[in-house]
C-alpha cells in the first residue's frame, strides 16, 4: 500500500470515528438491524455534506462519476465453494467430505473436479458439469442418482458382484461370505464395491490367512464393513479364538410382560 493510499484509508477511519461512532456512542441498540439503520442515516448525512476545499459533495461526485460506471449485480448471490480433484472409483462414486456421490458410470477411473458448497456438490469433467447433488453430511453414506447407474440390472460388464465375490474367495471362504454380506446390505450392490475391494487388498499387507480369519470374526460380530476388518487386523484380534455365542434363553414369565396376544 502506497503512502497516499494509506493516508486516504486513515482519513476514512477518522471520518467514521467522528461522524458515526461519536454520534451514536450514547445510544443503545437492541438489534443489528436497528444499529445498521442508525449508521445508514449517519452515512447519508456525511455524503450530502459539502466539501470544504472543492465544490460539491460525495453524493454529487458519486452521481456524476461512479453511478454511470456501475454494472448490475449478478442475478445469483455469490456462494463460497471449495474445489478438489477426485478419481472416480469403480462404484462410480466420488468422495467429498466423507460422503460418496455418484457420477455417470462411464467416468470410472477418470479424474474429475469436485466443487463443494454449503448446499450442493457438483462434479465436472473436462470443464463440463456431469453431476450435481444436494450436499449430505452423513459420513460414510451414499447419494446415488439412478441415471448414473449402468444398464443391464445396473451392472456393467467388467465389475459385477459375482466377480468380486469370486475374487474374495481366493482369499478364503469367510472373506467371500463377508463380501457377499456387504454387497447384500447395500441399497445398490455397487455401493459396497469400495469396502469389498478394500478388504481384498488387505491380503497384500497381512496375508490371506489373517484376512480370512479377520473376516470370520467380523461375520461372527455382524460387523459388515472394511473398517471393522481393518481394526481386527490392526489389533491382532484375528489371532484370538472367536467368542462363544451364548444360547438365547426365553424371557421369564411375569405378569408385567403382556406378550403379543395382549395387543390383538
Amino acid at each position: 500500500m502506497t503512502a497516499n493510499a494509506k493516508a486516504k484509508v486513515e482519513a476514512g477511519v477518522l471520518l467514521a470515528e467522528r461522524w458515526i461512532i461519536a454520534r451514536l456512542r450514547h445510544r443503545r441498540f437492541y438489534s443489528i438491524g436497528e444499529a445498521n439503520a442508525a449508521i445508514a442515516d449517519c452515512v447519508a448525512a456525511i455524503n450530502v455534506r459539502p466539501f470544504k476545499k472543492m465544490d460539491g459533495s460525495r453524493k454529487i461526485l458519486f452521481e456524476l462519476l461512479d453511478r454511470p460506471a456501475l454494472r448490475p449485480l449478478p442475478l445469483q448471490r455469490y456462494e463460497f465453494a471449495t474445489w478438489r480433484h477426485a478419481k472416480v472409483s469403480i462404484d462410480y462414486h466420488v468422495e467429498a467430505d466423507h460422503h460418496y456421490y455418484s457420477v455417470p458410470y462411464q467416468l470410472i477411473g477418470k479424474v474429475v473436479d469436485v466443487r463443494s458448497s454449503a448446499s450442493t456438490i457438483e462434479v465436472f469433467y473436462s470443464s463440463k458439469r456431469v453431476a450435481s447433488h444436494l450436499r449430505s453430511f452423513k459420513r460414510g453414506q451414499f447419494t446415488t442418482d439412478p441415471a448414473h447407474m449402468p444398464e443391464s440390472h445396473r451392472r456393467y460388464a467388467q465389475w459385477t458382484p459375482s466377480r468380486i465375490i469370486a475374487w474374495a474367495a481366493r482369499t478364503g471362504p469367510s472373506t467371500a461370505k463377508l463380501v457377499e454380506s456387504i454387497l447384500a446390505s447395500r441399497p445398490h450392490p455397487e455401493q459396497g464395491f469400495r469396502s469389498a475391494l478394500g478388504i481384498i487388498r488387505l491380503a497384500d499387507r497381512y496375508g490371506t490367512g489373517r484376512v480370512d480369519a479377520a473376516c470370520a470374526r467380523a461375520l461372527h460380530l455382524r460387523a459388515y464393513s472394511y473398517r471393522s476388518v481393518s481394526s481386527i487386523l490392526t489389533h491382532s484380534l484375528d489371532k484370538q479364538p472367536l467368542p462363544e455365542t451364548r444360547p438365547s434363553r426365553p424371557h421369564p414369565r411375569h405378569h408385567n410382560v403382556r406378550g403379543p396376544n395382549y395387543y390383538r
Side-chain angles (χ1 to χ4, degrees), residues 1 27 34 37 63-65 99 128 138 161 163 177 184 211 214 234-235 246 249:
M1 180 182 295
R27 290 187 56 180
E34 185 181 355
E63 297 293 340
L64 292 176
L65 303 177
H99 191 90
K128 180 181 178 181
K138 297 180 179 179
R163 179 181 179 184
K177 188 174 181 180
V211 171
T234 300
H235 296 89
R246 296 181 179 178
R249 295 182 299 175

Side-chain angles (χ1 to χ4, degrees), residues 80-84 114-117 135:
F80 176 78
T82 58
W83 291 80
R84 58 181 291 268
V114 181
R115 180 182 182 273
S116 304
S117 68
R135 185 165 185 172

Side-chain angles (χ1 to χ4, degrees), residues 86-240:
K87 187 175 182 180
V88 181
S89 179
I90 64 167
D91 59 2
Y92 55 89
H93 286 72
V94 294
E95 183 270 335
D97 195 18
H98 307 289
H99 191 90
Y100 301 97
Y101 301 88
S102 67
V103 300
Y105 73 95
Q106 296 90 342
L107 297 177
I108 291 172
K110 304 293 185 182
V111 176
V112 295
D113 296 312
V114 181
R115 180 182 182 273
S116 304
S117 68
S119 58
T120 59
I121 299 293
E122 297 174 289
V123 184
F124 295 81
Y125 180 68
S126 297
S127 301
K128 180 181 178 181
R129 190 173 73 174
V130 295
S132 178
H133 300 276
L134 291 176
R135 185 165 185 172
S136 174
F137 295 92
K138 297 180 179 179
R139 296 171 65 93
Q141 300 298 312
F142 288 78
T143 297
T144 304
D145 184 347
H148 296 158
M149 306 180 75
E151 298 177 355
S152 181
H153 302 288
R154 298 179 179 179
R155 300 177 183 174
Y156 38 94
Q158 183 179 6
W159 294 102
T160 63
S162 59
R163 179 181 179 184
I164 292 182
I165 293 172
W167 192 5
R170 299 178 185 176
T171 302
S174 296
T175 307
K177 188 174 181 180
L178 178 62
V179 166
E180 184 177 4
S181 300
I182 290 174
L183 300 183
S185 66
R186 302 295 195 270
H188 307 297
E190 292 84 355
Q191 295 179 352
F193 284 3
R194 190 187 301 263
S195 293
L197 291 178
I199 292 172
I200 294 170
R201 293 192 181 106
L202 286 173
D204 296 336
R205 187 190 314 171
Y206 296 100
T208 57
R210 289 195 61 188
V211 171
D212 199 56
C215 290
R217 178 174 286 269
L219 284 168
H220 184 79
L221 299 174
R222 299 181 180 272
Y224 304 143
S225 68
Y226 163 81
R227 184 174 299 178
S228 298
V229 177
S230 178
S231 177
I232 291 171
L233 291 167
T234 300
H235 296 89
S236 298
L237 298 178
D238 56 291
K239 300 178 181 179
Q240 301 180 10

Side-chain angles (χ1 to χ4, degrees), residues 13-90:
V13 173
L14 181 62
L15 187 68
E17 290 179 348
R18 288 178 175 176
W19 291 91
I20 299 177
I21 298 177
R23 285 191 175 189
L24 303 178
R25 67 186 185 277
H26 296 305
R27 290 187 56 180
R28 179 175 296 179
F29 301 99
Y30 297 94
S31 68
I32 297 295
E34 185 181 355
N36 286 337
I39 292 172
D41 292 339
C42 293
V43 171
I46 292 173
N47 289 335
V48 297
R49 288 182 63 250
F51 291 123
K52 293 182 178 180
K53 298 182 179 180
M54 57 185 297
D55 297 333
S57 64
R58 290 177 176 80
K59 181 175 177 59
I60 293 175
L61 290 182
F62 173 78
E63 297 293 340
L64 292 176
L65 303 177
D66 296 325
R67 185 179 292 279
L70 293 177
R71 290 185 293 180
L73 293 174
L75 296 178
Q76 295 182 345
R77 191 170 183 174
Y78 172 78
E79 185 178 33
F80 176 78
T82 58
W83 291 80
R84 58 181 291 268
H85 298 300
K87 187 175 182 180
V88 181
S89 179
I90 64 167

